[in-house]
């Protein structure tokens, strides 16, 4: 042994102690909203040279979430995201969840056949896509750069505004794997 007994206990037990109380009614959205309320002026996200505080990020999220609710996104519904890694992608992910839905990421580098299969299988309410992301879908496709959310409130969304109440068991996202058959499967 290279560690003394006290050091060994500290490394193996104390530093790895993850036991803590968990609110069984908490959702991803409620935990996120608590962080926004606690640290509105702290940096929430940074991508490249651009950063947003929690308050700025939440305003964008809440406005987009209200748009999503207006087109039918709610608990247990899905929204496909055809957005490359960016601040827009993060805003879209949180907006879908704030509306109550789960997101389905689409990789713009994947073949059109795979994307079509994912969309057919997931049956999203809509697709949020970056400008230039060519997606053919039987559902509304919204370019995130051109959605006008200015008329929507930036305030936190209430369950009364949602199409249903959020519960911890709601789907947060669906990822498509290659699957054992070679066809993408949502998990």
């Amino acid at each position: 042994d290279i560690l003394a007994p006290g050091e060994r206990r500290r490394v193996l037990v104390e530093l790895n102690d993850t036991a803590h109380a968990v609110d069984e009614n908490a959702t991803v959205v409620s935990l996120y909203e608590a962080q926004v309320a606690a640290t509105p002026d702290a940096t929430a996200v940074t991508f490249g040279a651009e950063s947003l505080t929690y308050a700025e990020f939440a305003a964008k999220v809440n406005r987009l979430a209200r748009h999503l609710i207006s087109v039918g996104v709610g608990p247990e519904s899905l929204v496909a995201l055809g957005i490359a890694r960016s601040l827009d992608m993060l805003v879209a992910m949180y907006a879908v969840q704030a509306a109550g839905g789960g997101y389905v990421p689409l990789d713009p580098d994947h073949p059109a056949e795979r994307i079509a299969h994912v969309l057919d299988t997931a049956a999203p309410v809509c697709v949020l896509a970056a400008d230039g992301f060519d997606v053919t879908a039987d559902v509304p496709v919204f370019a995130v750069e051109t959605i006008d959310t200015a008329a929507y409130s930036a305030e936190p969304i209430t369950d009364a505004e949602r199409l249903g109440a959020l519960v911890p068991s709601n789907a947060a996202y669906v990822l498509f794997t290659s699957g054992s058959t070679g066809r993408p499967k949502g998990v």
Side-chain angles (χ1 to χ4, degrees), residues 3-175:
L3 298 175
E7 291 174 312
R8 181 177 177 81
R9 176 172 171 65
R10 179 158 163 39
V11 170
L12 296 178
V13 177
E14 294 171 19
L15 293 177
N16 287 308
D17 184 10
T18 58
H20 61 280
V22 175
D23 179 358
E24 292 181 11
N25 296 313
T27 63
V28 171
V29 174
S30 69
L31 295 171
Y32 156 72
E33 288 174 343
Q35 187 64 41
V36 171
T39 59
D41 297 323
T43 300
V45 294
T46 299
F47 186 83
E50 190 176 1
S51 294
L52 296 173
T53 66
Y54 277 98
E56 294 166 334
F57 184 70
K60 289 176 176 282
V61 165
N62 293 334
R63 286 186 172 108
L64 181 56
R66 283 186 168 85
H67 172 74
L68 292 172
I69 292 168
S70 78
V71 299
V73 176
E76 298 306 315
S77 64
L78 298 174
V79 175
L81 302 180
I83 307 168
R85 291 181 179 148
S86 63
L87 287 178
D88 283 340
M89 182 191 73
L90 291 170
V91 168
M93 289 168 59
Y94 276 82
V96 170
Q97 292 192 347
Y103 63 87
V104 179
L106 301 174
D107 188 335
D109 294 330
H110 282 163
E113 303 85 37
R114 178 185 167 91
I115 292 171
H117 175 74
V118 168
L119 291 173
D120 288 343
T121 304
V125 172
C126 64
V127 177
L128 292 177
D131 192 30
F133 183 77
D134 187 24
V135 60
T136 303
D138 292 332
V139 296
V141 177
F142 300 102
V144 291
E145 297 91 351
T146 60
I147 297 173
D148 184 6
T149 61
Y152 295 110
S153 170
E155 295 303 311
I157 297 168
T158 65
D159 276 344
E161 295 176 86
R162 291 185 183 98
L163 302 179
L166 298 183
V167 294
S169 61
N170 290 136
Y173 54 86
V174 176
L175 301 177

